[in-house]
Amino acid sequence: MTKNQDKIIGIVGGVGPYAGADLFRKICSQTRAETDQEHLEVVMISDPSHINDRSVYLEKGGGRNPGDAIGDIILRLAAAGAEVVGIPCNTAHSPAIVAAVESKVIASGVMVEIVHMIREVAEAMRRTPTRPKRMGLLATTGTYHSKVYSEILGPEGFEVIVPEVFTQKDVHRAIYDPKFGIKAQGHPISTEAKGILEGASRELLELGAEKIILGCTELPLAFPDESDIYVDPTLILARALIREAAPEKLKPL
Amino acid sequence: MTKNQDKIIGIVGGVGPYAGADLFRKICSQTRAETDQEHLEVVMISDPSHINDRSVYLEKGGGRNPGDAIGDIILRLAAAGAEVVGIPCNTAHSPAIVAAVESKVIASGVMVEIVHMIREVAEAMRRTPTRPKRMGLLATTGTYHSKVYSEILGPEGFEVIVPEVFTQKDVHRAIYDPKFGIKAQGHPISTEAKGILEGASRELLELGAEKIILGCTELPLAFPDESDIYVDPTLILARALIREAAPEKLKPL
């Protein structure tokens, strides 16, 4: 088989590990392919032990900026051939972390395109026929405080609605609790985590949300069925990566 | 964080793409870890367009041995740091293909351990408390004809039971059909494919099988729920890779 013009996709895995697997699976499911051979080339490096927790870094500071390690992984992905890279972690797209990623990659001189997941979510919402105005957000407390969604969606005319403070604490635990959180127990997720997330979703809808962004890449693991209410940034990132790598292989919506 | 003694796991993805995602997810789920940072480092290269179809190669011959391309990918994985590698494809473990993989890797002089999925299945069956004697096999026609399971399980005292010839043709289609096969439609799998595989399973049990090996790495996608009847080689491979990389991180069965 001759080398074609398709670009090679890179996945920064490990943020968290299940999110990397989920992104890769969604790249496969969104690709026009009837045989193995028609699928795109994807390289993933999942090296979680070297990437400090993004939420802890944003909330408490100190330690190495997780963006440094993510930048290192992007350079390793590029060395393995990757040309278009995605980072399946919402919190990693907070400005302080993205800045560290970008400075590392730019300093290296390596040419690699990084697809910005949150900007792609904004773009996807703009193109939604119903054009929702009020977006509920389920995310880690670090993602809320970094305002990454409201800073990108706000100027586009979207209002970002977040849960009440006590509900938000529970949402964070549904992701991070060492016993029942999705990061500790992802397949299947615990009934505690599922209950919290369903309750928080009801609250967001009561507060006026028209759509709910699953703003932590562990969350689509809890809501695997596609629904008109939930917006899955991992799915949007998967489609954006295919669009950049081989637009003719992107399945229609 | 200092570098620890854990080895880096490599996954030859793309054979098929969903099987690579499934193996990675199972490595995560079989690892003792409560935080992202406690998970093992995993590198995956999914480059399906360069690996000829394993079944077609075994059935019809001609073309480049898929083991050559798999060997190339293992060398790329090793260059990216991988030390213990798994190939989540049963058909790729047929002697003719494995020989090409091994000669490529040995000729390179690169030191990398390749875990042999089918031998690990035999070992896992030997250690099963009920010690089944008669193993049903659901697999591609290429895997049947290569006798990879019967040649490895036979000398260990297991009898390998295969479906009747017409059922077997249907099982192959449930994997390969360009419309309803699992390779073309993996999430969720089609009702046609599921129906064929359930019927073939009943036939194997009627023929005396005590366990049924899901002998194609696409098949665990059709049978995601763990069951006492089905044996999942991808899960066994995931556990073997963890055992070789960091035995203290392997979850108990």
Side-chain angles (χ1 to χ4, degrees):
Chain A
M1 248 154 285
T2 53
K3 180 71 185 163
N4 56 33
Q5 295 305 304
D6 298 342
K7 289 184 183 161
I8 300 175
I9 294 173
I11 297 175
V12 177
V15 287
Y18 286 110
D22 192 40
L23 175 59
F24 176 60
R25 196 175 62 70
K26 284 170 178 161
I27 290 169
C28 295
S29 71
Q30 296 297 314
T31 301
R32 285 180 194 264
E34 291 183 350
T35 66
D36 289 354
Q37 287 71 26
E38 290 165 10
H39 279 274
L40 294 169
E41 180 167 352
V42 177
V43 181
M44 179 179 71
I45 295 178
S46 183
D47 183 14
S49 76
H50 293 95
I51 308 177
N52 287 338
D53 188 275
R54 284 72 61 200
S55 279
V56 171
Y57 178 78
L58 293 177
E59 290 293 294
K60 301 183 181 159
R64 190 183 178 213
N65 188 323
D68 281 345
I70 291 173
D72 287 338
I73 289 169
I74 291 173
L75 298 181
R76 287 176 62 197
L77 287 168
E83 298 163 281
V84 186
V85 169
I87 308 166
C89 174
N90 289 269
T91 319
H93 287 80
S94 63
I97 297 177
V98 162
V101 172
E102 288 181 345
S103 76
K104 192 100 186 184
V105 173
I106 290 167
S108 75
V110 169
M111 295 299 289
V112 59
E113 178 188 352
I114 303 171
V115 175
H116 192 295
M117 182 165 64
I118 318 295
R119 285 190 203 129
E120 294 292 339
V121 171
E123 177 65 21
M125 289 305 98
R126 248 197 322 265
R127 291 169 182 271
T128 302
T130 56
R131 217 190 138 113
K133 285 277 174 208
R134 291 179 299 280
M135 311 291 302
L137 179 61
L138 289 177
T140 64
T141 302
T143 295
Y144 282 106
H145 285 186
S146 80
K147 295 194 171 58
V148 53
Y149 271 101
S150 51
E151 284 185 2
I152 290 177
L153 291 179
E156 302 285 344
F158 298 101
E159 182 189 351
V160 176
I161 298 175
V162 303
E164 308 285 357
V165 63
F166 290 111
T167 308
Q168 174 51 31
K169 280 192 177 161
D170 283 342
V171 170
H172 193 85
R173 289 180 68 206
I175 299 164
Y176 269 96
D177 190 277
K179 293 300 165 221
F180 68 77
I182 301 175
K183 282 185 185 289
Q185 188 186 324
H187 283 274
I189 74 157
S190 67
T191 49
E192 291 99 317
K194 197 160 178 66
I196 287 171
L197 296 167
E198 287 172 351
S201 297
R202 280 192 299 274
E203 184 180 307
L204 288 169
L205 295 174
E206 283 163 14
L207 290 168
E210 295 156 79
K211 296 264 186 189
I212 296 174
I213 299 171
L214 300 173
C216 170
T217 47
E218 319 298 318
L219 293 177
L221 308 170
F223 297 91
D225 295 324
E226 284 159 42
S227 135
D228 274 353
I229 293 292
Y230 291 110
V231 176
D232 175 358
T234 308
L235 181 65
I236 290 170
L237 178 59
R239 293 183 58 84
L241 289 166
I242 299 167
R243 182 196 68 216
E244 295 302 305
E248 75 291 353
K249 290 211 169 160
L250 181 61
K251 275 189 188 167
L253 271 176
Chain B
M1 248 155 284
T2 53
K3 180 71 187 164
N4 56 34
Q5 295 304 304
D6 298 342
K7 289 184 183 159
I8 299 174
I9 294 173
I11 297 176
V12 177
V15 288
Y18 287 110
D22 192 41
L23 175 60
F24 176 60
R25 197 176 61 72
K26 283 168 179 163
I27 291 169
C28 295
S29 71
Q30 295 298 315
T31 301
R32 287 181 194 264
E34 291 182 350
T35 65
D36 290 352
Q37 286 71 26
E38 289 165 10
H39 279 274
L40 294 169
E41 180 168 351
V42 177
V43 181
M44 180 178 70
I45 295 177
S46 182
D47 183 13
S49 75
H50 293 94
I51 309 177
N52 287 337
D53 188 275
R54 285 70 64 200
S55 279
V56 171
Y57 178 78
L58 292 176
E59 290 293 293
K60 301 182 181 160
R64 189 182 177 212
N65 187 322
D68 282 343
I70 292 173
D72 286 338
I73 289 169
I74 292 173
L75 299 181
R76 288 176 62 196
L77 287 168
E83 298 164 280
V84 185
V85 170
I87 308 167
C89 173
N90 289 269
T91 318
H93 286 80
S94 63
I97 297 177
V98 161
V101 172
E102 288 181 344
S103 75
K104 192 102 187 182
V105 173
I106 291 167
S108 75
V110 169
M111 294 300 288
V112 58
E113 178 188 352
I114 303 171
V115 175
H116 192 296
M117 181 166 64
I118 319 294
R119 285 192 203 126
E120 294 292 339
V121 170
E123 177 66 21
M125 290 304 98
R126 250 198 319 267
R127 291 169 181 269
T128 302
T130 56
R131 220 194 133 111
K133 285 279 175 205
R134 289 179 301 280
M135 310 291 300
L137 180 61
L138 289 178
T140 64
T141 303
T143 296
Y144 281 106
H145 286 186
S146 80
K147 296 195 170 59
V148 53
Y149 271 101
S150 52
E151 283 185 2
I152 290 176
L153 291 178
E156 302 285 344
F158 298 101
E159 181 189 349
V160 176
I161 298 174
V162 302
E164 308 287 356
V165 64
F166 290 109
T167 309
Q168 173 53 29
K169 280 191 178 161
D170 282 342
V171 170
H172 192 85
R173 288 181 67 206
I175 299 165
Y176 270 96
D177 189 276
K179 293 298 164 220
F180 67 78
I182 302 175
K183 283 186 185 288
Q185 189 184 327
H187 284 273
I189 74 155
S190 66
T191 48
E192 292 98 316
K194 199 161 176 68
I196 288 170
L197 296 168
E198 287 171 351
S201 296
R202 280 193 299 274
E203 183 180 306
L204 289 169
L205 295 174
E206 283 164 14
L207 289 169
E210 297 156 78
K211 297 264 187 190
I212 296 174
I213 299 170
L214 300 173
C216 169
T217 47
E218 320 297 320
L219 293 176
L221 308 171
F223 297 92
D225 295 324
E226 282 159 44
S227 134
D228 275 353
I229 293 291
Y230 292 110
V231 176
D232 176 358
T234 308
L235 180 65
I236 291 170
L237 177 59
R239 292 183 58 83
L241 289 166
I242 299 167
R243 182 196 68 215
E244 295 302 305
E248 76 289 354
K249 289 210 169 161
L250 182 61
K251 275 189 186 168
L253 271 176

